Amino acid sequence: MSSLLLNPNRAFSPLSRQVLKASFSSLCSISNARILLGSCPTAHRVVGFTPRASRDSFDAEALPESNTKKKSRNNNKKIILFGSAPSPLSEERGGSAGNASGKPAAEGSSWVFLQRAFKRVLAVLSNLPLAIGQMFTIAALMALGTVIDQGEAPDYYFQKYPEENPVFGFVTWRWVLALGFDHMFTSPVFLGMLILLASSLMACTYTTQIPLVKVARRWSFTHSAEAIRKQDFADSLPRASIQDLGIILMGAGYEIFLKGPSLYAFKGMAGRFAPIGVHLAMLLIMAGGTLSAAGSFRGSVTVPQGLNFVVGDVMNPNGFLSFPSEAFDTEVHVNRFYMDYYDSGEVSQFYTDISLYSLDGKELMRKTIRVNDPLRYGGITIYQTDWGFSALQITKNGEGPFNLAMAPLQLNGDKKLFGTFLPTGDADSPNVKGISMLARDLQSIVLYDQEGKFAGVRRPSSKLPIDINGTRIVVEDAIGSSGLDLKTDPGVPLVYAGFGALMLTTCISYFSHSQIWALQDGTTVIVGGKTNRAKLEFCDEVNRLLDEVPERVTTDKNMNG
Amino acid sequence: MIFTTLEHILTHISFSIISIVITIHLMILLVHEIVGLRDSLEKGMIATFFSITGLLVSRWISSGHFPLSNLYESLIFLSCSFSIIHMISKMGNHKNDLSTITAPSTIFTQGFATSGFLTEMHQSAILVPALQSQWLMMHVSMMLLSYAALLCGSLLSVALLVITFRKNIDIFFKGNNFLIKSFFFGEIQYLNEKRSVFKNTSFLSFRNYYKYQLTQRLDYWSYRVISLGFTFLTIGILCGAVWANEAWGSYWNWDPKETWAFITWTIFAIYLHTRTRIHIRSRTNQNLQSTNSALVASIGFLIIWICYFGINLLGIGLHSYGSFTLTST
């Protein structure tokens, strides 16, 4: 039977609804050009159907009864009854029209003019296609910002986008520098677009989303079976009681409102509010980002082991709101810098043992920091970001120890090469000969003799001597230097709050807001419902719930089968 | 040593199972519907999921760190995410054809990962200091899950566009396929009862009806999957920002990878905005809206690939862990 193929996983529904299978066979005949579709896929619950002209969630025309705005008070403990509000856009339009015409002239025409201008601007900004256009523009600018190399000297752009041979035929360095594309992410064009997007966000939240909340919170009963049948999902249950339906819906997590023969239930209201939360979270993040950009300090320093520096000396302000705090008078002392290695010899982690002293010598804090684990004190954060090789300590022929400064020969991220040179013989002659020492990390030093031939490898911890060209060298110690970044950022708490809010509200806005209306018509209950996001799941869920409504067979009611 | 052999075995198992699954799918679609095979398809996908997960776990044990440190591992994780998406969509017991997207995607990513391009990354390597953090698990796994979901959703939109703009859809009329009927009299039915197309209660043609049903279904599933992916993407980007603040001192550096992830986020935010709160008064507008959003999602498909792969090819910036060079092997 074709119905098996229609829904192989579905059992037939309980007896109470097989009464409606009258037109079942006509439903299943696919060969007919005409098919009656009533509701959800089980296909043997058929009401009638009326195509809905609109998909809008708040189309008030679908519930004509409720437009009469009755506001009767409840006299039953489970009842609340309001009239429904008109749709938000007409409300806004009506509001602005009313405002513009109804404002008394006694307040001054300039005030009226300002109000009208404000409302016009608001209406323009909260236009959705405009917002979409802004987002596209921002995305395109960002993409451009990754293609064009940022932050180079103007000379670089002269060479890369020359006037004699423009890229794509028209892009010369004049375009790039004039529009600020060499520092795209702080350029006026980009920041202006961001400001525009923020104002659109605020306008949209104010004009469209907040009225939506007001409408969503008012609910209405319907007293017309026609209105219910017009919903996305509609069905009717013969020989059922609306109270049973209410109880079952309540068990499924709906909030029920029951008055007389009609019922209203909803679930997942948070899904309506969450998009507002998303917009507000984004505004919070933007505000925090602005504060960061305007009021933070940054500094970067490479400190050899054993030396120290004062915080305030290395910090540079970032914007016009940057004010140094008291903590800037702290002295930072690098007690020890060391690295951990894997068995294969590669670096596994960098550690710096740091002490903070106040200017009169009192130790305030001591911590060993490493990458991903910074030190926080008084609003300042100290990060381990880099390392260097400061000096190599050796003894030569028993004399010393001498500190030989190591020069960086190659700095390539984590792969570095340092070298130093110990002259043997006359240090002032033009072609001085000596012993070269190279190192990739603080673990092992490679030594080369006067001719440049490889002589040996020594670890500083081993203290083993090595004889090169008659000189006895003992590598005592490798003194590293720690690369530290310091930062203070007042916008971080705001931005973190915005992040948390954004994550939460994005998750919540995935839920969908479902509403169900029902009417007891004699012994039949007519049910209709709609939801804004998860249409298929809603359909299945309501099917399942309606399956559970018990059939009431009573003998004292006037039934006609 | 045992874990490397286990890894090899699991790679082979997952690859073969999923090839079989795809073969059966194609057979069902093109040749003949055998209802009993659908169950075995489900089991096949579950088996693939377990073998890929087992692969990742054995790599985790053998290397000592969470298996997400280079491009090879992230591709394996991506194929695992595809199978997770497949299973999530089946959880609600909805009859859908998402598996036609997820199964080939899984095999393609798995195949590319194990192919000759990335052989030097197959060995488990050590973790550089900057990656030794708890945030690694959260940020990268969320991003990969989101990529998987968004790729699925945008592929569904691409399919929608292809179907909308093709003149003849011959493939659906090979023989008297029960398959088509079971597809189209499924859940999507109720979504369409209220559309204007049924104002006149006779259909324009057999073909248009099915085409309409199919596009509606694709539209709906694309919307749901992309919303899920968008949630994951938001969480992933924000976790990355917090991690960057802990590690490098600033939560946003306009790094190429970060910027492109933000561009992806923006494009899919545009997608979600094109679908909401626009009054639809007639069927043509309805179609236009779904075509518009499908167009945006298709652009999103390209953007995700640029974000995930393109930036890695360049190998610049702070995210260079995932880079590789295309050598001809």
Side-chain angles (χ1 to χ4, degrees):
Chain A
M1 192 34 218
S2 55
S3 65
L4 276 174
L5 284 166
L6 297 183
N7 297 295
N9 299 327
R10 224 173 267 275
F12 275 70
S13 71
L15 247 66
S16 62
R17 290 182 283 151
Q18 283 192 347
V19 169
L20 298 175
K21 273 178 18 179
S23 41
F24 181 50
S25 49
S26 67
L27 265 183
C28 296
S29 60
I30 316 156
S31 50
N32 280 0
R34 178 193 168 114
I35 295 185
L36 280 174
L37 295 171
S39 65
C40 273
T42 47
H44 43 262
R45 286 205 305 263
V46 169
V47 190
F49 71 94
T50 322
R52 264 174 63 93
S54 149
R55 272 183 79 183
D56 181 41
S57 349
F58 288 111
D59 197 356
E61 291 125 46
L63 303 164
E65 210 59 277
S66 37
N67 271 338
T68 56
K69 284 208 194 320
K70 14 186 202 193
K71 284 202 194 315
S72 43
R73 282 292 125 211
N74 56 358
N75 40 15
N76 201 342
K77 49 184 173 350
K78 280 199 287 182
I79 300 150
I80 310 193
L81 178 63
F82 293 93
S84 82
S87 77
L89 288 181
S90 62
E91 183 180 69
E92 202 243 320
R93 269 183 257 119
S96 58
N99 233 349
S101 53
K103 211 67 181 163
E107 300 218 359
S109 52
S110 58
W111 176 245
V112 174
F113 175 70
L114 275 177
Q115 278 234 318
R116 235 186 293 184
F118 180 63
K119 287 254 188 297
R120 281 277 294 280
V121 165
L122 216 57
V124 164
L125 277 180
S126 55
N127 189 13
L128 187 64
L130 177 72
I132 292 182
Q134 285 167 354
M135 290 199 269
F136 261 126
T137 319
I138 289 182
L141 283 179
M142 288 198 282
L144 213 55
T146 54
V147 168
I148 301 179
D149 295 309
Q150 300 286 300
E152 304 279 346
D155 206 32
Y156 179 82
Y157 299 106
F158 294 160
Q159 288 171 358
K160 199 138 195 254
Y161 303 96
E163 275 186 310
E164 310 78 50
N165 189 15
V167 176
F168 291 131
F170 68 96
V171 180
T172 64
W173 58 265
R174 288 192 192 278
W175 280 88
V176 173
L177 291 179
L179 288 172
F181 284 175
D182 60 325
H183 55 284
M184 167 72 81
F185 301 109
T186 45
S187 68
V189 173
F190 188 66
L191 292 179
M193 286 306 304
L194 281 181
I195 293 175
L196 204 57
L197 186 67
S199 46
S200 277
L201 257 175
M202 290 193 271
C204 176
T205 307
Y206 180 68
T207 56
T208 315
Q209 291 191 309
I210 293 184
L212 232 57
V213 169
K214 288 191 200 136
V215 173
R217 301 194 64 195
R218 288 183 249 192
W219 40 80
S220 59
F221 290 90
T222 61
H223 293 279
S224 139
E226 273 315 302
I228 293 185
R229 291 206 178 100
K230 279 193 195 165
Q231 297 298 324
D232 284 340
F233 165 80
D235 198 357
S236 93
L237 305 169
R239 295 197 295 272
S241 150
I242 205 163
Q243 277 85 7
D244 293 333
L245 179 64
I247 293 172
I248 286 179
L249 285 178
M250 225 179 344
Y254 282 79
E255 299 233 358
I256 309 286
F257 300 92
L258 192 61
K259 180 188 183 194
S262 62
L263 170 144
Y264 174 78
F266 73 85
K267 179 162 90 155
M269 181 87 96
R272 284 264 184 228
F273 298 156
I276 300 180
V278 172
H279 284 185
L280 289 176
M282 288 185 52
L283 286 173
L284 198 62
I285 293 178
M286 286 194 195
T290 315
L291 194 58
S292 290
S296 60
F297 278 89
R298 292 211 70 129
S300 189
V301 63
T302 309
V303 190
Q305 177 177 298
L307 298 188
N308 49 14
F309 64 97
V310 178
V311 172
D313 290 342
V314 304
M315 293 283 239
N316 298 313
N318 232 352
F320 58 93
L321 281 179
S322 317
F323 300 113
S325 66
E326 282 175 7
F328 276 40
D329 287 333
T330 335
E331 190 179 308
V332 180
H333 184 79
V334 175
N335 298 319
R336 191 168 158 239
F337 171 73
Y338 59 100
M339 308 202 284
D340 263 357
Y341 303 93
Y342 287 111
D343 292 336
S344 57
E346 316 221 3
V347 179
S348 104
Q349 190 57 274
F350 309 102
Y351 299 91
T352 308
D353 182 4
I354 293 185
S355 296
L356 293 178
Y357 293 96
S358 66
L359 283 184
D360 44 353
K362 196 165 57 86
E363 180 169 15
L364 301 166
M365 187 170 175
R366 181 174 185 154
K367 184 178 171 173
T368 303
I369 65 168
R370 51 191 175 96
V371 185
N372 282 323
D373 186 17
L375 180 151
R376 290 196 165 87
Y377 174 77
I380 306 175
T381 320
I382 304 183
Y383 299 87
Q384 171 85 59
T385 51
D386 204 359
W387 68 279
F389 205 144
S390 163
L392 191 60
Q393 194 176 67
I394 59 163
T395 56
K396 170 185 165 189
N397 288 334
E399 303 161 4
F402 300 111
N403 274 356
L404 300 171
M406 290 289 258
L409 300 174
Q410 181 190 327
L411 294 172
N412 196 6
D414 276 344
K415 305 212 183 305
K416 305 182 202 247
L417 186 62
F418 294 88
T420 191
F421 183 72
L422 178 69
T424 56
D426 192 1
D428 293 323
S429 64
N431 44 348
V432 53
K433 296 259 191 224
I435 300 170
S436 317
M437 295 169 233
L438 294 178
R440 285 197 180 278
D441 50 34
L442 299 180
Q443 235 187 157
S444 37
I445 319 289
V446 184
L447 297 110
Y448 298 83
D449 70 358
Q450 285 175 320
E451 275 75 47
K453 268 196 340 240
F454 172 73
V457 181
R458 283 294 177 270
R459 289 174 178 256
S461 46
S462 66
K463 308 271 198 274
L464 283 176
I466 181 171
D467 285 305
I468 307 178
N469 300 128
T471 327
R472 169 163 288 225
I473 308 273
V474 175
V475 178
E476 299 284 345
D477 201 6
I479 304 173
S481 55
S482 175
L484 300 170
D485 265 13
L486 293 93
K487 194 194 78 158
T488 158
D489 193 345
V492 167
L494 266 181
V495 170
Y496 274 16
F499 280 173
L502 189 60
M503 281 197 245
L504 203 61
T505 47
T506 313
C507 285
I508 295 179
S509 68
Y510 190 63
F511 295 140
S512 93
H513 180 224
S514 321
Q515 301 168 293
I516 293 184
W517 291 267
L519 191 63
Q520 176 103 47
D521 189 5
T523 57
T524 312
V525 172
I526 304 174
V527 184
K530 65 179 176 186
T531 182
N532 64 341
R533 293 197 207 287
K535 296 189 162 57
L536 285 187
E537 285 100 348
F538 174 65
C539 188
D540 289 345
E541 184 199 10
V542 179
N543 262 337
R544 200 175 32 85
L545 290 174
L546 290 180
D547 280 351
E548 292 170 22
V549 176
E551 178 186 355
R552 297 272 184 116
V553 183
T554 55
T555 50
D556 55 350
K557 288 266 168 57
N558 191 10
M559 289 171 35
N560 45 0
Chain B
M1 196 54 217
I2 180 171
F3 286 115
T4 33
T5 12
L6 191 61
E7 215 181 294
H8 277 177
I9 295 176
L10 286 172
T11 318
H12 288 300
I13 290 179
S14 59
F15 208 81
S16 14
I17 293 182
I18 209 172
S19 322
I20 297 176
V21 162
I22 291 183
T23 320
I24 298 184
H25 257 302
L26 287 174
M27 251 172 45
I28 290 183
L29 182 66
L30 295 174
V31 176
H32 185 50
E33 159 89 10
I34 308 170
V35 181
L37 274 184
R38 290 219 159 246
D39 270 348
S40 57
L41 285 184
E42 295 313 307
K43 297 196 176 68
M45 283 304 286
I46 293 179
T48 314
F49 168 68
F50 278 120
S51 45
I52 298 184
T53 312
L55 168 66
L56 284 172
V57 168
S58 63
R59 233 183 132 85
W60 189 350
I61 296 176
S62 71
S63 70
H65 61 83
F66 194 71
L68 271 181
S69 64
N70 59 16
L71 192 65
Y72 172 69
E73 290 171 347
S74 69
L75 279 171
I76 301 284
F77 203 91
L78 190 67
S79 57
C80 187
S81 317
F82 275 124
S83 47
I84 292 178
I85 301 277
H86 174 90
M87 292 194 336
I88 289 179
S89 67
K90 289 287 184 217
M91 249 170 23
N93 203 22
H94 302 118
K95 211 156 155 37
N96 61 22
D97 39 3
L98 211 64
S99 52
T100 53
I101 303 280
T102 51
S105 312
T106 319
I107 196 178
F108 283 143
T109 41
Q110 180 96 355
F112 181 70
T114 44
S115 73
F117 280 123
L118 302 173
T119 34
E120 69 270 8
M121 293 198 211
H122 286 185
Q123 308 306 112
S124 337
I126 51 148
L127 214 52
V128 295
L131 288 184
Q132 287 170 17
S133 167
Q134 299 299 85
W135 286 106
L136 172 70
M137 286 194 267
M138 183 69 169
H139 166 61
V140 186
S141 52
M142 275 287 140
M143 292 302 284
L144 287 173
L145 267 172
S146 78
Y147 285 160
L150 291 173
L151 283 170
C152 276
S154 36
L155 279 175
L156 287 171
S157 291
V158 169
L160 189 150
L161 283 179
V162 164
I163 289 176
T164 313
F165 292 117
R166 271 181 66 106
K167 301 295 179 190
N168 310 313
I169 312 180
D170 295 319
I171 195 166
F172 290 115
F173 298 100
K174 290 223 160 78
N176 197 11
N177 248 330
F178 284 130
L179 178 71
I180 304 171
K181 295 166 195 150
S182 63
F183 264 174
F184 296 130
F185 277 100
E187 292 85 347
I188 204 74
Q189 193 180 14
Y190 98 102
L191 271 185
N192 301 297
E193 48 158 345
K194 310 294 184 198
R195 302 287 167 257
S196 327
V197 68
F198 298 123
K199 260 195 165 72
N200 42 342
T201 53
S202 63
F203 301 103
L204 307 169
S205 79
F206 208 46
R207 273 181 198 205
N208 275 354
Y209 171 65
Y210 283 144
K211 178 172 165 177
Y212 188 74
Q213 290 272 31
L214 185 59
T215 51
Q216 285 301 103
R217 171 201 287 277
L218 285 175
D219 191 47
Y220 175 76
W221 275 106
S222 157
Y223 174 62
R224 289 298 277 172
V225 175
I226 287 186
S227 320
L228 188 67
F230 188 74
T231 314
F232 286 149
L233 185 67
T234 312
I235 297 179
I237 292 180
L238 297 179
C239 281
V242 174
W243 185 14
N245 201 25
E246 297 297 306
W248 300 315
S250 84
Y251 45 83
W252 194 261
N253 291 315
W254 295 113
D255 187 49
K257 187 97 173 186
E258 281 175 1
T259 312
W260 276 97
F262 193 48
I263 293 176
T264 312
W265 190 88
T266 310
I267 294 285
F268 282 105
I270 294 176
Y271 172 83
L272 291 176
H273 278 83
T274 55
R275 295 189 63 90
T276 62
R277 296 191 187 95
I278 297 179
H279 276 264
I280 306 296
R281 291 281 173 201
S282 72
R283 177 179 167 222
T284 49
N285 260 353
Q286 160 74 14
N287 271 352
L288 196 65
Q289 190 207 29
S290 57
T291 318
N292 272 347
S293 45
L295 214 57
V296 177
S298 320
I299 296 175
F301 180 70
L302 291 171
I303 305 265
I304 294 179
W305 279 118
I306 296 178
C307 174
Y308 182 44
F309 246 58
I311 301 295
N312 285 343
L313 278 179
L314 292 181
I316 53 173
L318 299 162
H319 274 95
S320 54
Y321 316 111
S323 67
F324 72 105
T325 51
L326 280 180
T327 57
S328 52
T329 44

